[in-house]
Amino acid sequence: MHSTQPISVGILGATGTVGQRFIQLLENHTFLRIAALGASERSAGKTYREAASRSWKQSSPIPSAVADLVVLPCKPDHFAECRIIFSGLDADVAGEIESHFQAAQFAVFSNAKNHRMNPLVPLLVPLVNADHLDVIPHQRAARGLDKGFIVTNANCSTTGLVVALKPLQDAFGPLARIIVTTMQAISGAGYPGVPSLDILGNVVPHIGGEEEKMEAEVAKILGSVRGDGGGFAPLEGLRVSASCNRVPVVDGHTESVFIEFERRPAPSVEEVVAVLRAYRPEALTLDVPSAPAHAVVVLDEPDRPQPRMDVLTGGGNSVVVGRVRPCSVFDVKFTLLSHNTILGAAGSSIMNAEIAVAKGLI
Amino acid sequence: MHSTQPISVGILGATGTVGQRFIQLLENHTFLRIAALGASERSAGKTYREAASRSWKQSSPIPSAVADLVVLPCKPDHFAECRIIFSGLDADVAGEIESHFQAAQFAVFSNAKNHRMNPLVPLLVPLVNADHLDVIPHQRAARGLDKGFIVTNANCSTTGLVVALKPLQDAFGPLARIIVTTMQAISGAGYPGVPSLDILGNVVPHIGGEEEKMEAEVAKILGSVRGDGGGFAPLEGLRVSASCNRVPVVDGHTESVFIEFERRPAPSVEEVVAVLRAYRPEALTLDVPSAPAHAVVVLDEPDRPQPRMDVLTGGGNSVVVGRVRPCSVFDVKFTLLSHNTILGAAGSSIMNAEIAVAKGLI
Amino acid sequence: MHSTQPISVGILGATGTVGQRFIQLLENHTFLRIAALGASERSAGKTYREAASRSWKQSSPIPSAVADLVVLPCKPDHFAECRIIFSGLDADVAGEIESHFQAAQFAVFSNAKNHRMNPLVPLLVPLVNADHLDVIPHQRAARGLDKGFIVTNANCSTTGLVVALKPLQDAFGPLARIIVTTMQAISGAGYPGVPSLDILGNVVPHIGGEEEKMEAEVAKILGSVRGDGGGFAPLEGLRVSASCNRVPVVDGHTESVFIEFERRPAPSVEEVVAVLRAYRPEALTLDVPSAPAHAVVVLDEPDRPQPRMDVLTGGGNSVVVGRVRPCSVFDVKFTLLSHNTILGAAGSSIMNAEIAVAKGLI
Amino acid sequence: MHSTQPISVGILGATGTVGQRFIQLLENHTFLRIAALGASERSAGKTYREAASRSWKQSSPIPSAVADLVVLPCKPDHFAECRIIFSGLDADVAGEIESHFQAAQFAVFSNAKNHRMNPLVPLLVPLVNADHLDVIPHQRAARGLDKGFIVTNANCSTTGLVVALKPLQDAFGPLARIIVTTMQAISGAGYPGVPSLDILGNVVPHIGGEEEKMEAEVAKILGSVRGDGGGFAPLEGLRVSASCNRVPVVDGHTESVFIEFERRPAPSVEEVVAVLRAYRPEALTLDVPSAPAHAVVVLDEPDRPQPRMDVLTGGGNSVVVGRVRPCSVFDVKFTLLSHNTILGAAGSSIMNAEIAVAKGLI
């Protein structure tokens, strides 16, 4: 039922792990066409095949449609034919470059952390808070733009978590406290990323900045848009405490979550499972081709979810939840899994763009 | 400074992972001498070298002193020269066999779960509750024994946790609530244990019975002995909620711990670290040769503890804690690591036996 | 260009690793329809979903079309509606059961080793020796059958090797000597298969029976059919020496191959690469839907092939070769990779069946 | 029975993987004392504890004796109190720096490749060709030195191989041809070394320069010293062909070796095993404290050697051989394992220094 005209897109940070995922996911997209690829000065001028020769680590080869594209420097002038910009740039350069593209009237969908907490930038998890796009008109007005804007997605470990929390918040009222321990995959660290001597047969109990991001982003994402659409009202009452760890897994972040509701009596395990299974976010009601059939899939098997078997659920865009059970300290606990470079990065950016198109913002 | 006479010991379940650890750890013991090895009927009659040929997976070879010992069936008559019995038997046979040895007047130190929650059996974590041995006279009296008894150690994931909790409870008063997520090593599952297809590059978010054990054992271990020594008074107020996971690590359980104290204001991070570092349990004041120099080692590096670098701290009998920091939901959170087959199993049994000898119970 | 009528197939050993691959690969087959599933007595009577609940380890779920099929005992009477039988049975039961199905007039395509060296059974590597099916009339005659027959595929590590050797033999004359060292994935050992304590961070330098299989099977596969179609003439002159190892990889066998030709001067590296790339076996000229576009893909990158990036080439049915270079001891050496449960097992059985249908044998 | 006076040593490249191994191995050395540590300009001026804080990856902590040493730039003036210099420098700086130290009269024992093939530099595998030190007087004369010299050890994968080949060559005459495939551990690549995305669950079939090194070094090591001691006579007739691969193992290189002797009839498997077990190189007859009890240990178990269980044999300085069996293409084949950073690097340098001291060269 799709009738959108083709839209040309550019990818910044095309040779990185997230850039590679964009390229993979857009290979057969119904209306988004990769027209230009941007990367560092070192890569600019080479074909993508050359530039990515040492860093392409996907299980399928570089799509022929992009292999011969000449990589460009990340400057707006080079991307004139694009309307949408997907950014997988590193945080050390993303802030400035993305602002330039925004100012040059591009619709920028970023994976970087730099603009996430900006009070006029939607921190968009496509299966959670599509309504936060209501702030775009204000963002444009504030910058004197009519077309350009920046939308960010969330940190990979935040993303899976909030997709599970949102329906519970909607159904059962405010969440009081969340404790979460993550077991994160190595692909989240890019390439060369985590040295093998650090992670082979090992656990690294620290991922720089990750816990802080989770704790801050959850509040903004689960919060609302201010009445006048002029900004966001992050959740005030919710407290989140995280412990983030790296484990020897290639793709898929596993999270052990403990939830306390404000409401008494708290919902039962059965109610929680039913709500998760029934969750149908706005994105699933719009023309969002990349959206999975189910935002949340709940498994009954006692030893699930697992990266090996569940990470590609919904094409990597579903959150898989298992082991939903009572918690003797809080109310309920469970384990969730999400694909860290698909839902956790490029997949969400793509869905965000599809939502923006569906909402007439592009 | 040790003057104990040599004591002969027998090991039940000698060919299993825990049995192998006993053999390794006792190789050069100052006064415990392995005199007899017991295993299943299938192994009985073979030399240990033969019986363990397909299952010995340690990084050093079978000590020559035991390689030629003929493996015996696990019947008390065969162990007449032993005074101490170390059991690494599986739970499906341990209950009955250990009771027989107890009745036959042996001092049994078990790693199995069967007798752990028995109201007259000390659930002994050597670096935490050595005083629980005070119940042994009552256990003997209740069974009409003068020498025999059973002492169990704790589940591997419980052990590291309570070593860290005990000094905090002693210094700051009752613990109110604990949430813990474990990332457990494969050696804890024995051999053949966890299939490689399940764990290579994967996380398994369930270890059967593990969370229940942690939640029940903590209360008994951190509880006290009843005034009359006639039994135990498990902690009443403490609530513990666990999530246990298997990760691709060979040795070393990592645990992400979140603690709430009853006391207000709660202790600071600095106070917690100081108390952990200063912790000197009773075992470190007795003649316990296998005890580590420090029960708890606290590291300051931001990405520690890690199995690769820290699992052999204190010869595998220390608990290593890192990332002690404030928790926005509870009071403090940190990561701890312990060796799951040394402190978590055989090492603790050996220290328990040494403590019992030091206390004149053997 | 496909016009074959639907053919019903049965899968024996449906709950095993190879059985699971059959089910995955046949999910959307153009003309082969899974009509019946067979497994052990223990599984018989349960739905496939139940029977495979503890052993299904694929990265996508059990296809709904088979999940509710009731598993049957492996007796011909239960498979009456099938014309083709795919067997992933273990060697301890395969020999007898497959003979029963053959005698009951089924076209049996087996992955087991039992019948491979039988002088009237084609040891068929679909991309190498499809002509060996010429022996089927003789096999039928010898057994007094008009429809039934047995065809086996080869051992997983043999399969990838012979696909690379065949075009070289065809182009350059007899191969004199081959030395090969394999680095094999764990999925080849089934489930529970290789214990994780054996393989995590380790290499096991022995796979029982594997080297012998490679050495014997290569001679039969690269040999010819006797003039009268009454049997096979294995290669006489070729000597093969193998060393088979297990490494911590889930899917994909890597092989380091050293080749000496009889011909002098030996072919150059460029000639070898050209011949491999040009290889178009008979299967690629028939209506064989599962055949890959290229039997052999040769990569130029210096560090390829690798399981992570290349194992799914050709849907898992291509052999990927890299590092083709001169050998100072023999003539040429290279590294090859093949998917051990697709090309190495179920994929080859399916292609064998498609070839047999194309040749009018079914 | 050791009577050598303490000798002060310096370690260049102290923060790298090889440097860390030197520090670990020298911790309790009977006569070698670490007096100075050298590293890059970036590290110079910091204590070793600070400089190595992000790169120390050993399973035991930095020895207190060196933790507070201030790291120095790699200039001879800073090492005046040392007589022996151990170098674990990277090849990009090793050549020049080691020459400076040689010229400044230090006895330099290097792990780097730069000087290995120099016609006056012994390429010394301590358990193989200690007699190659006879060239040192010529080296000194050629450089106008009376004390200084350079000795290198061999590449890690060459080292284990030649320790097994040497006794066979001595007992059975010239080796004609060797084919070897290696499966190398990640620690050999240093830190950060191999990215985890490259090696987790993967095999990388290429290690830059490794095959060339193996092929060239074997000839020099197994060759002899020219009659006048003025240089080396590398083996002429022996042809070696290698294929080097990286596997997901932390420590320990496994090699699959195929050997053809010139002599006919070739020795039997039993003769080969007997010769390997009886091998007693010169180093085992001198005062070489770090030498293992056995240069080669031959195991009879069918699935050995394995890194997990065998890599620390002889303190990491033995070569472990298994699966010695007939080869249908050559004469005999087997699998060998050696510790790549102990025997393969620091352990050999230390033994080389001990031999040089024993021979009065220091």
Side-chain angles (χ1 to χ4, degrees):
Chain A
M1 258 190 3
H2 174 76
S3 60
T4 307
Q5 293 300 314
I7 296 177
S8 290
V9 311
I11 299 170
L12 306 183
T15 57
T17 316
V18 174
Q20 295 175 30
R21 273 296 177 192
F22 273 120
I23 286 172
Q24 255 199 343
L25 293 171
L26 292 170
E27 188 173 2
N28 296 308
H29 199 277
T30 49
F31 65 89
L32 299 176
R33 305 270 178 272
I34 298 173
L37 301 176
S40 69
E41 292 295 331
R42 181 182 59 236
S43 297
K46 300 179 179 175
T47 62
Y48 184 71
R49 180 188 296 104
E50 283 179 69
S53 65
R54 300 228 49 73
S55 62
W56 182 269
K57 300 291 169 185
Q58 305 305 319
S59 60
S60 53
I62 298 173
S64 43
V66 303
D68 295 308
L69 283 182
V70 175
V71 174
L72 307 161
C74 293
K75 293 191 197 321
D77 288 349
H78 290 106
F79 291 77
E81 59 179 309
C82 305
R83 280 206 283 158
I84 287 173
I85 296 294
F86 289 118
S87 167
L89 292 168
D90 283 336
D92 53 336
V93 297
E96 199 172 324
I97 291 176
E98 290 166 9
S99 294
H100 289 159
F101 275 82
Q102 172 197 33
Q105 302 286 12
F106 291 90
V108 180
F109 294 87
S110 170
N111 284 271
K113 67 178 182 180
N114 308 64
H115 297 286
R116 280 186 193 146
M117 304 309 292
N118 182 298
L120 287 176
V121 172
L123 208 181
L124 215 67
V125 175
L127 305 176
V128 172
N129 59 339
D131 60 303
H132 282 208
L133 283 171
D134 291 350
V135 172
I136 292 302
H138 273 81
Q139 190 198 105
R140 282 168 161 162
R143 300 258 177 278
L145 301 167
D146 64 308
K147 288 193 187 167
F149 64 77
I150 290 178
V151 163
T152 65
N153 58 12
N155 176 269
C156 47
S157 46
T158 309
T159 300
L161 179 63
V162 293
V163 173
L165 296 183
K166 173 72 167 169
L168 301 181
Q169 176 181 270
D170 288 351
F172 304 118
L175 309 170
R177 296 190 282 184
I178 312 281
I179 281 180
V180 55
T181 293
T182 72
M183 290 166 274
Q184 304 187 204
I186 62 173
S187 56
Y191 185 83
V194 183
S196 52
L197 255 182
D198 279 338
I199 198 62
L200 198 71
N202 201 28
V203 171
V204 180
H206 181 237
I207 300 175
E210 201 80 348
E211 292 161 10
E212 296 82 350
K213 285 179 207 169
M214 287 187 80
E215 294 169 13
E217 292 175 15
V218 169
K220 180 172 176 178
I221 296 162
L222 294 183
S224 51
V225 176
R226 274 178 18 206
D228 59 355
F232 305 101
L235 286 185
E236 298 264 314
L238 174 62
R239 286 188 286 158
V240 178
S241 183
S243 170
C244 297
N245 304 272
R246 190 80 67 184
V247 291
V249 171
V250 177
D251 288 321
H253 288 353
T254 304
E255 310 192 19
S256 165
V257 187
F258 302 77
I259 300 175
E260 181 185 62
F261 295 89
E262 281 190 10
R263 161 185 134 169
R264 302 284 108 198
S268 68
V269 163
E270 294 67 32
E271 292 178 296
V272 164
V273 169
V275 162
L276 290 174
R277 285 187 164 139
Y279 181 42
R280 188 167 166 77
E282 184 186 1
L284 264 52
T285 68
L286 301 172
D287 184 8
V288 180
S290 302
H294 305 282
V296 180
V297 172
V298 183
L299 300 179
D300 299 317
E301 291 90 333
D303 62 351
R304 303 282 277 281
Q306 298 182 22
R308 162 122 49 261
M309 290 180 284
D310 303 312
V311 77
L312 291 176
T313 304
N317 273 323
S318 289
V319 171
V320 187
V321 172
R323 303 214 63 213
V324 189
R325 60 206 191 283
C327 174
S328 57
V329 169
F330 282 172
D331 296 320
V332 69
K333 53 189 178 182
F334 55 73
T335 303
L336 74 84
L337 171 83
S338 57
H339 196 305
N340 57 297
T341 59
I342 299 181
L343 182 71
S348 278
S349 277
I350 291 170
M351 285 192 280
N352 285 344
E354 294 170 349
I355 291 169
V357 168
K359 285 178 176 260
L361 287 165
I362 295 174
Chain B
M1 258 189 359
H2 173 76
S3 60
T4 308
Q5 294 299 314
I7 296 177
S8 290
V9 310
I11 300 171
L12 307 182
T15 56
T17 315
V18 174
Q20 295 175 31
R21 273 296 178 194
F22 273 120
I23 286 172
Q24 256 199 342
L25 293 172
L26 291 170
E27 189 174 0
N28 297 306
H29 199 278
T30 49
F31 64 90
L32 298 176
R33 306 270 177 272
I34 299 173
L37 301 176
S40 68
E41 291 298 331
R42 181 185 57 238
S43 296
K46 299 179 181 175
T47 62
Y48 184 73
R49 182 189 293 104
E50 283 180 68
S53 64
R54 301 230 46 76
S55 63
W56 182 271
K57 300 292 170 183
Q58 306 305 320
S59 61
S60 54
I62 298 172
S64 46
V66 304
D68 295 307
L69 283 182
V70 175
V71 175
L72 307 161
C74 294
K75 294 191 200 319
D77 288 349
H78 290 106
F79 290 77
E81 59 177 311
C82 304
R83 280 207 282 159
I84 288 173
I85 297 295
F86 289 119
S87 167
L89 292 168
D90 283 337
D92 52 339
V93 297
E96 198 174 324
I97 291 176
E98 290 166 9
S99 294
H100 289 160
F101 275 84
Q102 173 198 34
Q105 302 283 12
F106 290 90
V108 180
F109 294 87
S110 171
N111 284 270
K113 66 177 182 180
N114 309 63
H115 297 285
R116 278 186 195 148
M117 303 309 290
N118 183 300
L120 286 175
V121 172
L123 207 182
L124 215 66
V125 175
L127 304 176
V128 173
N129 60 339
D131 60 303
H132 283 208
L133 283 171
D134 291 350
V135 172
I136 291 302
H138 271 81
Q139 189 198 107
R140 283 168 161 163
R143 300 256 179 277
L145 302 167
D146 65 305
K147 288 192 184 168
F149 64 78
I150 291 178
V151 164
T152 66
N153 59 12
N155 176 268
C156 47
S157 46
T158 310
T159 300
L161 178 62
V162 293
V163 173
L165 295 183
K166 173 72 167 170
L168 301 181
Q169 175 179 271
D170 287 351
F172 304 117
L175 309 172
R177 297 190 282 183
I178 313 280
I179 280 180
V180 55
T181 293
T182 71
M183 290 166 273
Q184 303 187 206
I186 61 173
S187 57
Y191 184 83
V194 182
S196 53
L197 256 182
D198 279 338
I199 199 61
L200 199 71
N202 200 27
V203 172
V204 180
H206 181 237
I207 300 176
E210 201 81 345
E211 293 161 10
E212 295 82 350
K213 286 179 205 168
M214 287 187 80
E215 294 167 14
E217 293 175 14
V218 169
K220 179 171 178 179
I221 296 163
L222 294 183
S224 50
V225 176
R226 274 176 20 205
D228 60 356
F232 305 100
L235 287 186
E236 298 264 312
L238 175 61
R239 287 188 285 158
V240 179
S241 182
S243 168
C244 295
N245 304 272
R246 191 78 69 184
V247 292
V249 170
V250 176
D251 287 321
H253 288 354
T254 304
E255 310 190 21
S256 166
V257 186
F258 302 77
I259 300 176
E260 180 185 62
F261 296 89
E262 281 191 9
R263 160 185 136 169
R264 302 283 107 195
S268 69
V269 163
E270 292 68 30
E271 292 178 294
V272 164
V273 169
V275 160
L276 290 173
R277 284 187 165 140
Y279 181 43
R280 190 168 165 75
E282 185 185 358
L284 264 53
T285 67
L286 300 172
D287 185 6
V288 178
S290 302
H294 304 280
V296 180
V297 172
V298 183
L299 299 178
D300 298 317
E301 290 91 333
D303 59 353
R304 302 283 275 280
Q306 298 182 20
R308 161 120 54 259
M309 288 182 282
D310 303 313
V311 77
L312 291 176
T313 305
N317 273 325
S318 288
V319 170
V320 188
V321 172
R323 301 212 64 213
V324 188
R325 61 207 191 285
C327 174
S328 58
V329 168
F330 282 171
D331 297 320
V332 71
K333 53 189 177 181
F334 55 72
T335 302
L336 72 84
L337 170 83
S338 58
H339 195 303
N340 55 298
T341 58
I342 299 182
L343 183 73
S348 277
S349 278
I350 291 171
M351 285 192 280
N352 285 344
E354 294 170 349
I355 292 169
V357 168
K359 287 177 175 261
L361 287 164
I362 296 174
Chain C
M1 252 188 7
H2 173 77
S3 61
T4 308
Q5 293 301 311
I7 297 176
S8 290
V9 310
I11 300 171
L12 306 182
T15 56
T17 315
V18 173
Q20 294 176 31
R21 274 295 179 192
F22 273 120
I23 286 172
Q24 256 198 341
L25 293 171
L26 292 170
E27 189 173 0
N28 297 305
H29 199 277
T30 49
F31 65 88
L32 298 176
R33 306 268 178 274
I34 299 173
L37 301 175
S40 69
E41 292 297 329
R42 182 183 58 237
S43 296
K46 300 179 180 175
T47 62
Y48 184 74
R49 182 188 293 104
E50 283 181 67
S53 63
R54 299 228 51 74
S55 62
W56 181 270
K57 300 291 169 182
Q58 306 305 321
S59 61
S60 54
I62 297 173
S64 44
V66 303
D68 295 309
L69 282 182
V70 175
V71 175
L72 306 161
C74 293
K75 296 194 198 319
D77 288 350
H78 290 105
F79 290 77
E81 59 177 311
C82 304
R83 281 206 281 158
I84 288 174
I85 296 295
F86 289 119
S87 167
L89 291 169
D90 282 337
D92 52 338
V93 297
E96 199 174 323
I97 291 176
E98 289 166 10
S99 294
H100 288 161
F101 275 84
Q102 171 198 35
Q105 302 284 12
F106 291 90
V108 180
F109 294 87
S110 170
N111 284 269
K113 66 178 183 180
N114 308 64
H115 297 285
R116 278 185 195 149
M117 303 309 290
N118 183 299
L120 287 175
V121 172
L123 207 181
L124 215 65
V125 175
L127 304 176
V128 173
N129 60 339
D131 60 303
H132 283 208
L133 282 171
D134 291 350
V135 172
I136 292 303
H138 271 80
Q139 189 196 109
R140 283 169 161 163
R143 300 257 180 277
L145 300 168
D146 64 305
K147 289 189 183 170
F149 63 78
I150 290 178
V151 164
T152 65
N153 60 13
N155 177 268
C156 47
S157 48
T158 308
T159 300
L161 179 63
V162 294
V163 173
L165 295 183
K166 173 72 166 169
L168 301 181
Q169 175 180 270
D170 288 350
F172 304 118
L175 308 172
R177 294 189 284 185
I178 313 280
I179 280 180
V180 55
T181 294
T182 71
M183 290 165 274
Q184 303 187 207
I186 61 174
S187 56
Y191 184 82
V194 182
S196 52
L197 256 182
D198 279 338
I199 200 59
L200 198 70
N202 200 28
V203 171
V204 180
H206 181 236
I207 301 176
E210 200 81 346
E211 293 161 10
E212 296 82 351
K213 285 179 205 168
M214 286 187 81
E215 293 167 15
E217 294 176 14
V218 170
K220 180 172 179 178
I221 296 163
L222 294 182
S224 49
V225 176
R226 275 177 18 208
D228 59 356
F232 305 100
L235 286 186
E236 299 263 311
L238 175 61
R239 285 186 288 160
V240 179
S241 181
S243 168
C244 296
N245 303 272
R246 190 80 67 186
V247 292
V249 170
V250 177
D251 289 320
H253 288 354
T254 304
E255 310 191 21
S256 166
V257 186
F258 302 77
I259 300 175
E260 181 186 60
F261 296 89
E262 281 191 10
R263 156 184 139 170
R264 302 283 106 196
S268 69
V269 163
E270 292 70 28
E271 292 177 296
V272 164
V273 170
V275 160
L276 290 173
R277 284 186 165 141
Y279 181 43
R280 190 168 165 75
E282 183 185 2
L284 264 54
T285 67
L286 300 173
D287 184 8
V288 179
S290 302
H294 304 280
V296 180
V297 173
V298 183
L299 299 179
D300 298 317
E301 289 91 333
D303 59 354
R304 302 282 277 282
Q306 298 182 21
R308 162 125 45 262
M309 288 182 283
D310 303 312
V311 76
L312 292 176
T313 305
N317 273 324
S318 288
V319 171
V320 188
V321 172
R323 301 213 64 215
V324 189
R325 61 208 191 283
C327 174
S328 59
V329 168
F330 282 172
D331 297 321
V332 71
K333 54 188 176 182
F334 54 73
T335 302
L336 72 84
L337 170 82
S338 57
H339 196 303
N340 56 296
T341 58
I342 299 182
L343 182 73
S348 279
S349 277
I350 291 171
M351 285 192 280
N352 284 345
E354 295 170 349
I355 291 169
V357 168
K359 286 177 175 260
L361 287 165
I362 296 175
Chain D
M1 263 191 354
H2 174 77
S3 61
T4 308
Q5 293 299 314
I7 297 177
S8 289
V9 311
I11 299 170
L12 306 183
T15 57
T17 316
V18 173
Q20 295 175 31
R21 273 296 178 192
F22 274 121
I23 286 172
Q24 256 198 342
L25 293 171
L26 291 171
E27 188 173 2
N28 297 308
H29 198 279
T30 49
F31 66 88
L32 298 177
R33 305 270 177 272
I34 298 173
L37 302 174
S40 69
E41 294 294 331
R42 181 183 59 237
S43 296
K46 300 178 181 175
T47 61
Y48 184 72
R49 181 188 295 103
E50 283 180 69
S53 65
R54 301 229 49 74
S55 62
W56 183 269
K57 300 292 168 184
Q58 307 304 321
S59 61
S60 55
I62 298 173
S64 45
V66 303
D68 295 307
L69 283 183
V70 175
V71 174
L72 308 161
C74 293
K75 292 190 199 322
D77 289 350
H78 290 106
F79 291 76
E81 58 179 310
C82 304
R83 281 206 283 158
I84 288 173
I85 296 293
F86 289 119
S87 167
L89 292 168
D90 283 336
D92 53 334
V93 297
E96 199 173 323
I97 292 176
E98 289 165 9
S99 293
H100 289 160
F101 276 83
Q102 172 197 34
Q105 303 284 10
F106 291 90
V108 180
F109 294 87
S110 170
N111 284 271
K113 66 177 182 179
N114 309 63
H115 296 285
R116 280 185 193 148
M117 303 310 292
N118 182 299
L120 287 176
V121 173
L123 208 180
L124 215 67
V125 175
L127 304 176
V128 173
N129 60 338
D131 60 302
H132 282 210
L133 282 171
D134 290 350
V135 171
I136 291 302
H138 272 81
Q139 189 196 106
R140 282 168 161 163
R143 299 256 178 279
L145 300 167
D146 64 308
K147 288 192 186 166
F149 64 77
I150 291 177
V151 163
T152 66
N153 58 12
N155 176 271
C156 46
S157 47
T158 310
T159 300
L161 178 63
V162 295
V163 173
L165 296 183
K166 173 72 167 169
L168 302 181
Q169 176 180 269
D170 287 351
F172 305 118
L175 309 170
R177 296 189 283 185
I178 312 279
I179 281 179
V180 55
T181 294
T182 71
M183 290 164 276
Q184 302 186 207
I186 62 172
S187 57
Y191 185 82
V194 182
S196 53
L197 257 183
D198 279 339
I199 198 63
L200 199 70
N202 200 27
V203 171
V204 180
H206 181 238
I207 300 176
E210 201 80 346
E211 293 162 10
E212 296 81 350
K213 283 178 207 170
M214 287 187 80
E215 294 168 16
E217 292 175 16
V218 170
K220 180 173 177 178
I221 296 162
L222 294 183
S224 51
V225 176
R226 275 178 16 207
D228 59 356
F232 306 99
L235 286 186
E236 299 263 311
L238 174 60
R239 286 188 286 159
V240 178
S241 183
S243 170
C244 296
N245 304 272
R246 190 81 66 186
V247 292
V249 170
V250 177
D251 288 320
H253 288 353
T254 305
E255 309 191 21
S256 164
V257 187
F258 302 77
I259 300 175
E260 181 187 61
F261 296 89
E262 280 191 11
R263 157 183 137 170
R264 304 283 107 198
S268 68
V269 163
E270 294 67 32
E271 292 177 296
V272 165
V273 170
V275 162
L276 290 173
R277 285 187 164 138
Y279 181 42
R280 189 168 166 77
E282 183 185 3
L284 264 52
T285 68
L286 300 173
D287 184 8
V288 179
S290 302
H294 305 280
V296 180
V297 172
V298 183
L299 300 178
D300 299 316
E301 291 90 333
D303 61 350
R304 302 281 277 281
Q306 298 182 20
R308 162 123 46 261
M309 288 180 285
D310 302 312
V311 77
L312 291 176
T313 305
N317 273 324
S318 288
V319 171
V320 188
V321 172
R323 303 214 63 214
V324 189
R325 60 206 191 285
C327 173
S328 59
V329 168
F330 282 173
D331 296 320
V332 71
K333 53 189 176 182
F334 55 72
T335 302
L336 74 83
L337 171 82
S338 57
H339 196 303
N340 57 297
T341 59
I342 299 181
L343 182 72
S348 278
S349 277
I350 290 171
M351 285 191 281
N352 284 345
E354 293 170 350
I355 291 169
V357 168
K359 286 179 174 260
L361 287 164
I362 296 175

